[in-house]
Amino acid sequence: QVQLVESGGGLVQPGGSLRLACLASGGNFARYTMAWFRQAPGKEREFVAGMPWLGGPTDYGDSMKGRSEIPRDHAENAVYLQMNSLKPEDTAVYYCAVSSDYSCRQYGCQAASDYYYWGQGTQVTVSS
């Protein structure tokens, strides 16, 4: 069973940084696409960034492009979301997600419906 566990959320001041972690288990992640999404109250789940587990071009959503990166650690089965220059509008629950679709691994996917497995999320609050 695929399991994804996010951590690293919390309260951060505007302009600050956070690094979220997603620890993955239970799957053949070499075949998967990993991604981060976020969802603010009353809003749709939004793509932040994603990339094939084995590497390749990173896809970025519009909202955090230029302010985020997603390093990974294959040995730890971990993918991270490094967020910089945080803004109050970045406040959301952040989710790690996995797609096993070959098309996503090959071309990238940004729709939440393209992802099969999700973590429980970690809250990020950007406020003074």
Side-chain angles (χ1 to χ4, degrees):
Q1 180 179 339
V2 171
Q3 185 176 21
L4 307 173
V5 180
E6 303 97 335
S7 63
L11 177 65
V12 62
Q13 296 181 8
S17 298
L18 276 179
R19 191 180 195 187
L20 308 182
C22 173
L23 301 182
S25 62
N28 184 6
F29 293 98
R31 297 178 176 269
Y32 294 169
T33 297
M34 311 291 294
W36 287 94
F37 288 79
R38 69 184 189 184
Q39 188 165 22
K43 295 192 175 183
E44 296 291 319
R45 193 161 294 188
E46 178 185 28
F47 178 80
V48 177
M51 83 298 167
W53 176 251
L54 291 179
T58 301
D59 295 326
Y60 292 99
D62 291 337
S63 62
M64 298 197 75
K65 190 173 184 178
R67 299 189 294 120
S68 65
E69 57 185 23
I70 46 173
R72 59 196 180 275
D73 186 338
H74 293 133
E76 299 293 332
N77 276 355
V79 61
Y80 304 90
L81 176 62
Q82 178 67 45
M83 301 184 290
N84 306 308
S85 301
L86 286 163
K87 307 172 183 179
E89 54 263 41
D90 295 320
T91 296
V93 177
Y94 284 73
Y95 298 92
C96 179
V98 169
S99 175
S100 59
D101 287 345
Y102 178 78
S103 60
C104 293
R105 185 169 71 88
Q106 186 173 20
Y107 303 114
C109 295
Q110 297 190 9
S113 60
D114 292 323
Y115 290 82
Y116 300 142
Y117 306 108
W118 296 83
Q120 294 300 305
T122 184
Q123 177 70 47
V124 173
T125 302
V126 184
S127 176
S128 298

